[in-house]
Amino acid sequence: SFKKMAKNKKSGVPTTRAKKNGGTPPPTAKSRGGGASTTAKRRSAATATATATPSSLSSSPLERLLSHALNVYTLGFAFFRVGELIPLLLGRNDGAECQLAFLGSFAVRRHLDRRGKKLLRFVTMLASIYLMDYKIPEPLPESDGRHRGRTVVVTGANSGVGYETSRQLAVDYEMEVVMGCRSAARCRNAAGRINAEIAASKSRGSVEPMPVDLSDFRSVESFASRLDGRSVDVLFNNAGYAPSANVPVNEYGLDPSFASMHLAHFLLAERLIRSNPQLRVVATSSGTHHLCAMPFTYTPRSVYEMMPSGVRKWLMPQNPGCLDEDYLKMGIRSATDGGAYIQAKIANVMHVMEIPKHHPEATAIAIDLGWVGTSIQPFMSRKLSPTSLGWMRNAAVGVSPMIHAILDGEEELHAQLGGERRRRKDSGFIVNTFGRAEEAFSYSWWRRGANADLSGERMRGLAEKLWEESARVLTTNGFTVEK
């Protein structure tokens, strides 16, 4: 066989492989362009691989880990900073610096590779945190002695924003602060720390600890009685907590969270206004009160009706508007539910809206606080916390809306509202996270939607009903208030 193959090769007879190729001999290296050409092609392919975009190549484990960490940080930033982002994105404030930072990052990122875009995103968030904490908020009032000797009553004053507000008012503005706290011992300790700072700074301010248990209306009456005969300029209704679900009704047959965070403050304000008709009432609300509208406004009606009632109740435990007629009739007389905190916070907003209607000489302001690092939740007090990561403002920075609401002139605050509202003073309003006045229920989600009527007119009507029901409940339990 080998001899035959050799003979065929010499005579030019096609081999078996050539026959399979139609009698054409297989291509040789020379017919392909030679070995040099093949090497060049391989080098060209290697060069193309080396110059491929990073997104086409697999990342290292460290790079993937950093990418996941950045995504988590971005989500945390968006979640905890929503109280500042909403007024910025909706143009409610002069946040041009922060808006330029966002626009600039979008313009630059088009020219960056994947790693560059991620680095830019991180730097933009850090720059935004700095701007939102130190540049965009209204400058604090001057400590020029104008407020020296004025009296302010603060509830929940032994910790968190209540403590920091009390400290700044007494030390920096030389005011006389009555610190209302549930625990007498913690109240004395907090007052002692502030008094030590007052002495060290040679300030003329003062703090006075005074126990009050907002879960007990009798304790609120006793607290107010101790203030009878004293001139009180400002009542800061600050005390609050994050209630658990399914806590049974209290001794008055009421939802304990609603009783403590709204009705007790309602009673205290009414008692102090009797002898201080020009009282300014400031209440710590929360941006969470917008959740009384957002889910119902932006959920398509078909999706809303398709959801099983159990799923709907789990996702949206609150009623549309939260304090609707059904809640005012039955909800306040039931155990706490998953929407208890939201319901109490919108009650604070509705309360201040109604105060000037019933007490024309008084001023009323609610604080849209946003997230501030306090002890209201255990996770906020850890070393690695949203505050240490820059997601939340610390208490010293976060109380600036309170300082503005307590100290800014009434005309100055009304002027920030603009338009017709400058002249109309028959309703309370909100001071937002940047220390600027806003009309309550003025954002786009407060409107008549497919699932419910949540317009400003509807919410003002519910605020009137809340006032009537609050007065009725307290009067029924033996505590007289103005109807």
Side-chain angles (χ1 to χ4, degrees), residues 157-158 179-192 208-211:
N158 64 281
M179 300 176 65
C181 323
R182 184 175 58 179
S183 168
R186 287 197 292 269
C187 207
R188 285 193 300 270
N189 290 337
E208 177 186 354
M210 190 178 295

Side-chain angles (χ1 to χ4, degrees), residues 240-352:
Y241 67 103
S244 302
N246 302 316
V247 178
V249 297
N250 61 15
E251 62 176 298
Y252 303 105
L254 302 168
D255 173 349
S257 63
F258 188 80
S260 298
M261 288 190 275
H262 167 63
L263 289 173
H265 282 143
F266 183 99
L267 175 60
L268 181 58
E270 289 300 295
R271 285 285 282 105
L272 293 184
I273 288 177
R274 289 180 192 173
S275 53
N276 302 277
Q278 295 183 331
L279 183 71
R280 175 175 293 196
V281 180
V282 177
T284 300
S285 182
S286 165
T288 58
H289 81 274
H290 293 301
L291 294 177
C292 295
M294 282 181 169
F296 307 98
T297 300
Y298 295 126
T299 302
R301 185 170 183 82
S302 58
V303 175
Y304 185 79
E305 293 178 344
M306 184 177 59
M307 281 191 290
S309 58
V311 174
R312 187 191 305 168
K313 194 65 177 176
W314 180 74
L315 291 174
M316 296 176 280
Q318 69 277 20
N319 293 343
C322 287
L323 304 188
D324 60 1
E325 292 83 356
D326 180 62
Y327 181 81
L328 293 176
K329 181 179 180 181
M330 301 298 298
I332 64 174
R333 297 172 176 83
S334 305
T336 58
D337 58 21
Y341 183 78
I342 301 171
Q343 288 150 185
K345 293 296 102 177
I346 197 170
N348 298 148
V349 175
M350 291 178 167
H351 180 210
V352 303

Side-chain angles (χ1 to χ4, degrees), residues 101-121:
F102 280 113
L103 292 174
S105 67
F106 280 115
V108 172
R109 73 189 303 273
R110 298 175 55 190
H111 306 286
L112 300 176
D113 61 11
R114 184 182 60 186
R115 293 188 181 93
K117 290 177 180 178
K118 291 181 178 179
L119 178 61
L120 179 65
R121 192 205 316 175

Side-chain angles (χ1 to χ4, degrees), residues 25-103:
T28 63
K30 289 184 179 180
S31 66
R32 296 191 197 104
S37 176
T38 304
T39 304
K41 289 182 178 180
R42 289 176 179 172
R43 288 178 179 172
S44 177
T47 303
T49 302
T51 58
T53 59
S55 59
S56 65
L57 302 176
S58 59
S59 305
S60 66
L62 177 59
E63 187 177 353
R64 288 196 296 271
L65 178 62
L66 291 175
S67 179
H68 292 323
L70 178 60
N71 290 335
V72 171
Y73 191 88
T74 303
L75 290 173
F77 171 83
F79 179 78
F80 288 110
R81 289 284 177 168
V82 66
E84 294 98 313
L85 291 173
I86 284 177
L88 284 178
L89 296 176
L90 296 182
R92 301 279 170 161
N93 296 284
D94 300 326
E97 302 96 333
C98 203
Q99 293 171 359
L100 285 175
F102 280 113
L103 292 174

